[in-house]
Amino acid sequence: MDEIIACLEQKVLLLTKIWNLTKQIEVRCTQQEVELDQFLELRGIYIDRVKKCNSLIQKLAKNLPAEQQEHLARLLQPDAIQDDQCGSDEERKILKLSRDCADILQKAGALDQIARETLQKQCTELQEKINQLRKDEKGQNIYRNIN
């Protein structure tokens, strides 16, 4: 259980970094010049590390007896169990960390959605401007300035 707790603590740290990067991405999306490459790349690295934490937790869980595996699965789904259903401090810690992960993921997801909508709006506005410029130039050719 200590290894699972360590993985969950690492996962909380990684998700916090993802959330902080997502905040920076959301702010950058409101600026005139949007440069996101380094933020997206770093966030992708952290997401890969979170996936590794999840895989390790699953691997560690498989080494537990079936009854403990089932209980751990409920602890890892924070809405599926109540605090009073935890039989030890370790279980309460796992439940708290699982809830922290879910909370951070929800916050990061909401910010990510706002950033996506902002970028989509900017993209749509630019497409409209380009289309308007094309309409304004229709019928004109490269010789229009020659008299």
Side-chain angles (χ1 to χ4, degrees), residues 33-92:
E33 294 285 325
V34 181
E35 292 277 335
L36 300 177
D37 291 347
Q38 82 183 58
F39 296 113
L40 295 174
E41 184 179 333
L42 193 54
R43 191 171 73 166
I45 291 168
Y46 291 141
I47 289 170
D48 287 342
R49 290 182 185 170
V50 168
K51 289 177 184 176
K52 287 179 184 178
C53 286
N54 289 339
S55 295
L56 184 54
I57 290 168
Q58 288 177 348
K59 183 179 176 183
L60 291 169
K62 287 181 181 177
N63 295 330
L64 297 173
E67 185 177 301
Q68 278 186 311
Q69 284 182 31
E70 210 173 285
H71 190 63
L72 178 63
R74 288 194 312 273
L75 289 171
L76 294 173
Q77 296 176 8
D79 295 334
I81 193 167
Q82 300 298 317
D83 291 345
D84 60 358
Q85 293 175 300
C86 295
S88 68
D89 288 339
E90 284 179 331
E91 288 181 3
R92 279 185 279 286

